[in-house]
Structure formats: C-alpha cells, structure tokens
Amino acid sequence: MAASMPASPLRPLLLLLLAALACHAADTSWSGSPFRHGRGRGLGVNYGRVADDIPTPRRSVQLLRAAGAGSVKIYDANPAVLRALAGTGMAVSIMVPNQVIPDLAASYAAADRWVAANLLPYLPRTRVKFLLVGNEVLSDGSIAASTWPRIVPAMENLHRSLRARRVSRVKLGTTLAMDALVAGAFPRPPSAAAFRPDIAESVLRPLLRFLEGTNSYYFVDAYTYFVWAGSNGTVPLDYALLQPATRARYVDPGTGLTYTNLLDEMLDAVGAAMSKLGHGGVRIAVAETGWPNGGDYDQIGANVRNAAVYNRNLAARMARNPGTPARPGARMPVFVFSLYNENLKPGPGTERHWGLYYPNGTAVYRVDLTGRRPLWAYPPLPAPENDTPYKGQIWCVLAAHAGRKLNETAVGDALTYACGQGNGTCDAVQPGGECFQPNTGAAHASYAFNSYWQQFRKTGATCYFNNLAEQTIKDPSKHAQTQHSCSTHSEINYCYSKLYALK
C-alpha cells in the first residue's frame, strides 16, 4: 500500500475539480461526433429504408458511427449504401430478397450471377460479413409451397459460388421470426420449446445442418415488446426492458436455470428447439430486436423512455455479460431495429417508430451501442404516458399531412378498399345518405376510414391506408365545425359524434 499523503485544505477542492473534468471528458465522448469509435465493437443496427424522407447513405453511415454501431444490416444489396460503407471497417450484412429465392435454388448459374452482381463489386472495401437469404420467409404462409423448401438449396448454391470465387469470409444465413416455434414468441418454459411441425423436418433440420456445417448462425428476430404488450400482465415491464435491478425472476422447471430478463428466455427457447433436432451447437444471432419509441393510442408501452431504456440495457448487457443462462458467455451478433423511424411502413403505428433517429437526423434519444457509457450517465428521459392501456375514445381519420395536400387518386383508391369490405361500411356517405354532406373527398375519407377500422380492428385492421390515415383522440365533430359552413353543422355533429364513436 502506498504511503498516505499529508492532509491539505486544497486537496478536497482539487479532487472535486478533477472529478468535474473527468465527467466533462466522459460526456464529450458521447457528444455526437460521427467518428469517435473508429471501427467500434457496438451492437449492430438494421438500416431500413421504407421511407421517403430519410438522410442519404453517406449521412446515414455517420449517424451509425455516432451511435457507436459496430455493424449494420440492410434488407437488400443497395449499391449506394454499400459504397457509402466502403472503407469504414464496419461489418455489413446484406440480404437476398424473398422473391428471388426459388430462382437461386433452381440454378447455380443464377446464384453465381447474383453474387457477381450484388456482392463482388464491393469487396473487399465494404466488409460484408453475412449474406442472408430472405427475411422471415417462414412467417409467410402464402409462399409455403414456392419458397420454404427452397431456402436451403438457394443457400447451398450461393455457398458454392462463394467458394468458387474464393470468398471465404462471408457466411450465409436466413432470418426467422419467433413464430418458427410452436408457442411463438413466448414459449414457457424455454426448455420445452420446439419448432412447428410443418417446418421442423422439411426446412429447419436441413437448415440447421447447413449452418452447422458452415459454422454460421441461426438468425432470429426477437422482440420482447410484443410479448409484454400482449401478455396481459404476465410479464413485468422491467423484465421485458432488461432492467438490471428488476426483482422479477423465472425459473425453468426443466433445467433449473434462473432468468432475469425476457430476451434470455426467448433465445434459450430457440436453442432448446434446435437441440430437439440434434443441432443444439449452432450459434445464435439476433437479427432484430428493439422497442418502439411511439405508436397508436391503442398500443401500450410504445414510447421514447422505454425504447431508450431497452436499447441502453441491451448494449450494456451484451458488452458486460454476453450469452444466456443456457449458453453462458456465448458472444453473438445483435442488431437493433432500426436506424430511422420509417414513415412508409404499413401496419399499426409502432411499425413506423423504431428508429434511433428521426428522419431529419436528430436522435430520438441518446444511446451508446458499445455499452461503455454507464446507464446513470445519460440525460433524463421523458416520463412514459402509455404504459397502461388507453381507455378513452379513439377515431381513425384522414391524416393531417394527407389533408393538407389531398392526393385524390390515392384517397379514391383507399375509399374503394374501405367501402368494398361489406357490412355497409360506406352507406352513409353515398348520395342521399345521412352523412353525404359535406360532399368532399376529405370528409368522406375520414368517415370511411373510421367506419372500416371500427368494424374490423379486432380482426387485425389498422388505421393506416397507405399512410393516409391516423388515429386521433380529439372529437372530430368539434374539429369539423371549424371547417365547414353552418348549414351542415347538424349533419357533421351527428356523423362524427355518433358514427365515429368507439364501438
């Protein structure tokens, strides 16, 4: 032990000054400089581009690096994106579109042409590490006959092409959702999980054999958000958010293993299913995970606070203690979804709110994907406002942006769809109907969107209509009174207040 220094009245002040400087230095290391991590070893990020308002590929690479991303996954082999990633040292995953899988499976020549056109021009400056054959193919029952049995033959032809061209560092895989398991995303206990019988022998066994033989990974999309949101209180929020201080625990009766977060349960369920087919040694990669930063009024827990907490905890956990209870210490590629809020993604509102960044390039929240920033060192987050279900009335109306610049063709197509579903969806806005007035495309669209949504929302209908609709909790009748002449106020009040009421 070193000798003690004599006491000095200046020493406490000096220590406080040094601590302040250290904190300032630590904070500037996460200040948003786009090149602070060099090659970095942080989590990967899914760079989706289903949007019409996001930054250029070059700017996107800067934002990836600003967040500390160590790798990136794209959903195609876009030349502009791959050129922007050249020279960055960032590991890149590219993807074969689902629709070309049958052609690549049927012909080695076709697979070789795909490699020559979409991969070779960018090597070695762009560090492509994974070539993923399809995205959640086994979740689409409409292509069961045409594509499911051809995933592995396509992978084999692509692998043969890579070997023939002496490309040895690119591994093949395919991304699968948790619905490949019998119990879907929430099999309990994890040790009892198994693959669906319709794909276990015909698709999964040959896939696992291929992955094991090529030392590749089983890529799974694992979202704790969807399990928690649909669990009806079974899963505590902190358990789903990977909160390190949570008291929630789950003990698997089959293995005796103790779980402290939901993601570990999901990943070990996949591992158990693979073991039942004799390939428990195949490594696991997380192709997609994350938490939505926003959503519709009827989607609980989708907010900035929860999204930030989840991704910060995920980064810290993977940096500190990779692996799962069944696979302790096992390092795995992990990709957060997603780089941007993508405004053209169909479906419920959460689909358009997974981004680390807004389309203008500003951060939705601060996150260091290397996991090196202590959780206490982040600035405060906004309080969540929707961690419990919304109990008021909700309407589905023409979106404000669509109303400002009405695309009559697009709105007409949406009306045709909404009104063509039966059950008198649009009877009231037909000529002579009680809600025909005001006779405008905007008014009729709002009525039709809401009428359709209220009737079919329980069977999966969403308030989207190709980005023309949005949910509102403001009584449309009050808004309507400021938009139309007094002569139609009574009709508007009736149609909006009565027929728009939540059913």
Side-chain angles (χ1 to χ4, degrees), residues 135-320:
N135 185 48
E136 296 189 350
V137 176
L138 300 182
S139 300
D140 186 355
S142 69
I143 57 173
S146 65
T147 308
W148 292 5
R150 293 171 176 81
I151 299 172
V152 175
M155 295 171 74
E156 290 171 338
N157 280 339
L158 290 165
H159 184 249
R160 180 182 163 196
S161 171
L162 294 176
R163 292 185 64 182
R165 294 178 176 276
R166 299 185 178 181
V167 178
S168 60
R169 295 187 178 181
V170 178
K171 292 190 177 296
L172 284 149
T174 186
T175 69
L176 300 176
M178 288 292 293
D179 63 7
L181 302 180
V182 172
F186 193 31
R188 265 192 174 176
S191 60
F195 289 116
R196 294 178 353 226
D198 60 322
I199 56 175
E201 292 296 333
S202 59
V203 182
L204 268 303
R205 189 182 292 277
L207 172 63
L208 294 171
R209 187 183 304 121
F210 175 87
L211 297 176
E212 192 168 56
T214 58
N215 196 30
S216 190
Y217 294 80
Y218 180 106
F219 282 84
V220 59
D221 294 348
Y223 288 99
T224 65
Y225 168 75
F226 293 116
V227 177
W228 171 78
S231 68
N232 296 315
T234 303
V235 177
L237 179 58
D238 282 353
Y239 191 75
L241 290 173
L242 319 184
Q243 289 283 47
T246 181
R247 295 182 179 180
R249 297 288 186 273
Y250 176 75
V251 179
D252 187 322
T255 62
L257 294 173
T258 298
Y259 291 87
T260 60
N261 69 78
L262 180 58
L263 182 63
D264 282 352
E265 278 197 59
M266 296 169 74
L267 298 180
D268 278 353
V270 172
M274 294 194 298
S275 295
K276 288 179 174 61
L277 292 182
H279 295 280
V282 173
R283 296 179 291 177
I284 294 175
V286 182
E288 291 181 14
T289 191
W291 197 281
N293 59 60
D296 295 328
Y297 288 103
D298 56 354
Q299 294 185 290
I300 65 170
N303 56 63
V304 170
R305 179 194 175 275
N306 290 344
V309 167
Y310 181 86
N311 283 331
R312 291 171 182 178
N313 285 336
L314 178 69
R317 185 200 175 289
M318 291 301 172
R320 180 184 67 253

Side-chain angles (χ1 to χ4, degrees), residues 248-448:
R249 297 288 186 273
Y250 176 75
V251 179
D252 187 322
T255 62
L257 294 173
T258 298
Y259 291 87
T260 60
N261 69 78
L262 180 58
L263 182 63
D264 282 352
E265 278 197 59
M266 296 169 74
L267 298 180
D268 278 353
V270 172
M274 294 194 298
S275 295
K276 288 179 174 61
L277 292 182
H279 295 280
V282 173
R283 296 179 291 177
I284 294 175
V286 182
E288 291 181 14
T289 191
W291 197 281
N293 59 60
D296 295 328
Y297 288 103
D298 56 354
Q299 294 185 290
I300 65 170
N303 56 63
V304 170
R305 179 194 175 275
N306 290 344
V309 167
Y310 181 86
N311 283 331
R312 291 171 182 178
N313 285 336
L314 178 69
R317 185 200 175 289
M318 291 301 172
R320 180 184 67 253
N321 183 30
T324 65
R327 299 182 175 208
R331 295 191 175 274
M332 64 187 82
V334 177
F335 294 86
V336 170
F337 190 85
S338 60
L339 185 58
Y340 297 114
N341 283 349
E342 299 171 71
N343 69 316
L344 297 183
K345 293 200 72 176
T350 50
E351 288 297 304
R352 295 174 288 285
H353 292 89
W354 292 88
L356 302 178
Y357 293 97
Y358 294 111
N360 64 6
T362 60
V364 178
Y365 50 85
R366 288 195 166 207
V367 64
D368 172 36
L369 296 178
T370 70
R372 293 183 294 193
R373 184 170 192 173
L375 297 177
W376 53 262
Y378 286 101
L381 290 164
E385 296 181 350
N386 62 347
D387 283 353
T388 56
Y390 180 76
K391 299 185 185 306
Q393 289 188 328
I394 307 172
W395 295 265
C396 178
V397 297
L398 183 70
H401 69 85
R404 284 192 294 268
K405 190 176 181 180
L406 196 67
N407 182 328
E408 293 185 2
T409 300
V411 170
D413 291 342
L415 274 168
T416 299
Y417 176 81
C419 298
Q421 303 307 305
N423 291 346
T425 304
C426 296
D427 288 356
V429 291
Q430 301 303 316
E434 56 191 345
C435 296
F436 181 70
Q437 296 294 336
N439 183 17
T440 67
H444 288 184
S446 281
Y447 180 91

